[in-house]
Amino acid sequence: MESATNKDNENRSNGRRRLHLREVNSEHEAYDGIGADIRAARTRNGQNLVDVANVLRIRIEFLEALEQGRFTELPAPVYAVGFIRTYAVSVGIDGDDAIKQFKSEAAGLAA
């Protein structure tokens, strides 16, 4: 039976590295709200997040927060609504519907 240390050394020498569970980040994987819908539409359209951020002139950090449902990381609600509308329309989603869904999801957040 081969020891774990020998197996690790063999993997390193082959250029492979073992993935540990603590390295897998699934913190936002379960989110399935409007941000996930927008991300899915962007991906289907073959759009790169960096390019979208540049075209829309919205900081990439805000687009990532939207896609992952991290609404507390967005600026004032009026800006967040504008970001949602602009981003949704840019990937082919109805802006008004996106805003309704966003407001429903973010209803419990402090304004």
Side-chain angles (χ1 to χ4, degrees):
M1 183 170 176
E2 195 172 346
S3 74
T5 305
N6 289 339
K7 190 121 179 130
D8 287 343
N9 289 336
E10 180 183 323
N11 284 337
R12 284 189 200 115
S13 67
N14 291 336
R16 295 184 305 174
R17 190 170 82 77
R18 292 180 62 200
L19 180 65
H20 295 279
L21 287 178
R22 68 179 173 270
E23 297 178 64
V24 177
N25 183 1
S26 62
E27 180 181 341
H28 301 289
E29 293 295 322
Y31 173 67
D32 68 346
I34 185 59
D37 294 343
I38 292 172
R39 179 181 54 235
R42 175 182 58 78
T43 303
R44 273 193 308 274
N45 294 340
Q47 295 171 298
N48 178 300
L49 189 60
V50 173
D51 294 337
V52 171
N54 289 333
V55 168
L56 300 180
R57 296 178 183 247
I58 299 173
R59 288 178 35 190
I60 194 166
E61 295 84 11
F62 293 148
L63 296 182
E64 289 173 334
L66 287 172
E67 287 188 352
Q68 297 171 0
R70 296 181 285 121
F71 303 138
T72 58
E73 296 177 25
L74 298 174
V78 68
Y79 291 107
V81 167
F83 292 166
I84 287 283
R85 180 187 308 277
T86 301
Y87 192 12
V89 168
S90 77
V91 297
I93 295 175
D94 182 84
D96 291 331
D97 290 343
I99 290 170
K100 286 177 190 170
Q101 188 172 346
F102 167 72
K103 286 181 176 181
S104 172
E105 290 178 34
L109 302 177

